[in-house]
Amino acid sequence: VECGVHPSAVVGKNLALAENTAVLAQVFIGDDVTLGAGTIVYPHTFIGDQVKIGENCLIHPNVTIREGAVLGDRVIIQSGAVIGGDGFGYVTVDGEHLKVPQVGNVMIEDDVEIGSNTAVDRATTGSTVIKRGTKVDNLVHIAHNDVIGEHCFIVAQTGISGSVTLGHHVTLAGQTGTAGHVHIGANSVFIGRAGI
């Protein structure tokens, strides 16, 4: 991969681009973005304003990283993932669902991998956090204000409701689902289609 910014990329103001970094064709980068050394951003990716991405990250094609997200070092984001989309927050008034502004962000620590077509929602306020070493499979939903512990496995089609916390080394196997506002202790294992 050739380092530097491809001529077809669209780059906003104040891009901080470290050495040996590659921004490939048709990437969009907003204002005040930081990309660490050795990071590669593949084509057709959107990176919003004030995103910070660490060193030696791989951002595969067609990824969306919304404004304010912070990624550590050696993070891998597979194609189609959305990092920092709005959390599912509504208040019902007189039978109508009114949107609650989602003004937080997503923080992903070192050595995390996020699978294809996975959604990690921004926090309503504060941060949705995925701690270091956690591996997230394809087609997973991590909701607003979740805190996922270190070295967890979150497997295909798992859905984690809002404001859930996981300890370290938790495994949620395929199609596991949780209620909101629960805590799952360290080293817990839930097999496929478990409900928490």
Side-chain angles (χ1 to χ4, degrees), residues 44-76:
H44 302 287
T45 288
F46 172 93
I47 298 175
D49 294 347
Q50 298 176 333
V51 167
K52 293 179 173 52
I53 298 177
E55 297 181 357
N56 298 307
C57 295
L58 293 176
I59 312 300
H60 286 284
N62 298 301
V63 167
T64 298
I65 303 176
R66 290 273 304 274
E67 60 277 6
V70 179
L71 280 61
D73 297 334
R74 299 172 302 281
V75 172
I76 299 171

Side-chain angles (χ1 to χ4, degrees), residues 1-128:
V1 174
E2 187 172 338
C3 294
V5 178
H6 191 277
S8 68
V10 176
V11 176
K13 297 175 288 191
N14 303 320
L15 172 62
L17 192 71
E19 60 184 349
N20 301 321
T21 300
V23 176
L24 301 184
Q26 305 295 325
V27 170
F28 177 92
I29 297 178
D31 296 339
D32 304 310
V33 169
T34 300
L35 299 178
T39 287
I40 301 172
V41 182
Y42 284 95
H44 302 287
T45 288
F46 172 93
I47 298 175
D49 294 347
Q50 298 176 333
V51 167
K52 293 179 173 52
I53 298 177
E55 297 181 357
N56 298 307
C57 295
L58 293 176
I59 312 300
H60 286 284
N62 298 301
V63 167
T64 298
I65 303 176
R66 290 273 304 274
E67 60 277 6
V70 179
L71 280 61
D73 297 334
R74 299 172 302 281
V75 172
I76 299 171
I77 310 292
Q78 299 289 350
S79 295
V82 178
I83 309 301
D86 283 0
F88 192 75
Y90 297 90
V91 60
T92 302
V93 178
D94 296 327
E96 295 189 9
H97 306 307
L98 306 178
K99 188 172 181 68
V100 175
Q102 305 292 298
V103 298
N105 74 337
V106 171
M107 298 184 68
I108 297 176
E109 294 185 357
D110 297 347
D111 301 301
V112 169
E113 182 163 357
I114 305 292
S116 297
N117 297 315
T118 282
V120 181
D121 289 349
R122 70 175 48 251
T124 306
T125 61
S127 297
T128 301

Side-chain angles (χ1 to χ4, degrees), residues 47 51 63 74 122 134 138 142-143 145 160 163 174:
I47 298 175
V51 167
V63 167
R74 299 172 302 281
R122 70 175 48 251
T134 284
N138 304 330
I142 296 173
N145 295 93
I160 304 177
S163 300

